[in-house]
Amino acid sequence: MSSDFDKANILITGAASGIGAATACLLAARGAKKLILMDRDEDRMADFAFSLPCERQLLVGDVADEDLWARADLTGLTHAVVNAGIGDSAAIDETSFADWRRVMSVNVDGTFLTLQAAMRAMKGSGGSVVLTASAAGVKAEPGIAAYGASKAAVIHLARIAAKEGAPAGIRVNSIAPGGVETPIWKGAAFFEEMVERHGGEEQAYKALASAATPLARFAKPEEVAGHIAFLLSEEAAFVTGACLVSDGGYSL
């Protein structure tokens, strides 16, 4: 399986860290010809991309910028990982409309624009797309209205895209991770409090997982990257419109 993405041209958004970076590393190791990496963090993405053993094209900007996608050269695109996203935590009655729109802009608008650009590029040749959703889009929890609603939208958008893309040979699936050890947690007030209370990020992750995840741990980004690679690959050639829930049992 080391070269099962031979000749593949793959777009990955949110590529500078976390699931995006782990997916880029895995796909490069499995023979990707070219990775088109997109993120707002140019320095971090450039440092990380330098080490990848394949051709790289870097796109710097906001996934919700329509002009960016109009300018992007996605010629020959075969696969896409629509992964960029941001988090938020607040009760509905404490969420400002500005914060609501900030989350929706990246997680819904940005996902739509990325998916649209990818499907346009794949028309005539087919391809495979994976959208990164979240178990928060499957299981209701208090305090995550904007994030949970945005990820539920991503799951359903993937289903609709799968129906629209099927006649053109374009498969579209989503993945719904539970807790993953990624930078999305940083900056959330409750997580910073847990880090301080438990004495470090690793301990905070363990405390969070033990409270709600039956397998009692969070996933590593590399584990989720493996699931994404499966959905992209020919091993999943008959899978489209599916949502792979990868959450350690959290949503049970």
Side-chain angles (χ1 to χ4, degrees), residues 153-238:
V154 169
I155 292 169
H156 200 56
L157 179 62
R159 293 190 183 110
I160 294 169
K163 276 205 165 183
E164 292 186 359
I170 301 171
R171 294 189 301 108
V172 184
N173 293 289
S174 63
I175 185 165
V180 184
E181 296 181 10
T182 70
I184 199 170
W185 296 97
K186 296 177 182 178
F190 82 92
F191 185 70
E192 297 302 329
E193 290 172 6
M194 291 192 72
V195 170
E196 186 174 345
R197 188 185 325 137
H198 294 280
E201 286 186 4
E202 192 67 27
Q203 293 83 353
Y205 286 133
K206 287 180 180 178
L208 278 172
S210 65
T213 303
L215 290 185
R217 68 176 180 87
F218 276 6
K220 299 292 186 183
E222 293 76 13
E223 293 178 283
V224 181
H227 303 155
I228 290 172
F230 164 71
L231 290 172
L232 289 175
S233 75
E234 286 304 303
E235 290 183 298
F238 202 59

Side-chain angles (χ1 to χ4, degrees), residues 36-190:
I36 304 169
L37 305 176
M38 198 275 183
D39 204 283
R40 291 185 295 190
D41 190 338
E42 181 176 9
D43 292 340
R44 188 169 186 175
M45 181 169 59
D47 289 344
F48 152 73
F50 181 76
S51 65
L52 297 174
C54 63
E55 183 182 348
R56 286 94 59 192
Q57 175 185 339
L58 304 186
L59 299 176
V60 180
D62 186 341
V63 287
D65 180 356
E66 187 175 8
D67 290 338
L68 181 147
W69 292 113
R71 297 190 305 268
D73 181 6
L74 301 181
T75 304
L77 191 70
T78 59
H79 303 76
V81 181
V82 185
N83 172 71
I86 60 173
D88 186 68
S89 58
I92 292 172
D93 61 358
E94 296 175 353
T95 300
S96 70
F97 188 63
D99 283 342
W100 172 270
R101 281 305 315 150
R102 178 177 59 85
V103 174
M104 292 297 164
S105 176
V106 176
N107 294 3
V108 180
D109 301 347
T111 294
F112 165 76
L113 289 171
T114 309
L115 175 63
Q116 181 185 66
M119 292 182 72
R120 284 173 174 172
M122 292 175 181
K123 255 185 180 175
S125 58
S128 179
V129 184
V130 175
L131 278 56
T132 301
S134 169
V138 177
K139 181 179 180 178
E141 293 282 12
I144 57 167
Y147 183 72
S150 73
K151 292 303 185 177
V154 169
I155 292 169
H156 200 56
L157 179 62
R159 293 190 183 110
I160 294 169
K163 276 205 165 183
E164 292 186 359
I170 301 171
R171 294 189 301 108
V172 184
N173 293 289
S174 63
I175 185 165
V180 184
E181 296 181 10
T182 70
I184 199 170
W185 296 97
K186 296 177 182 178
F190 82 92

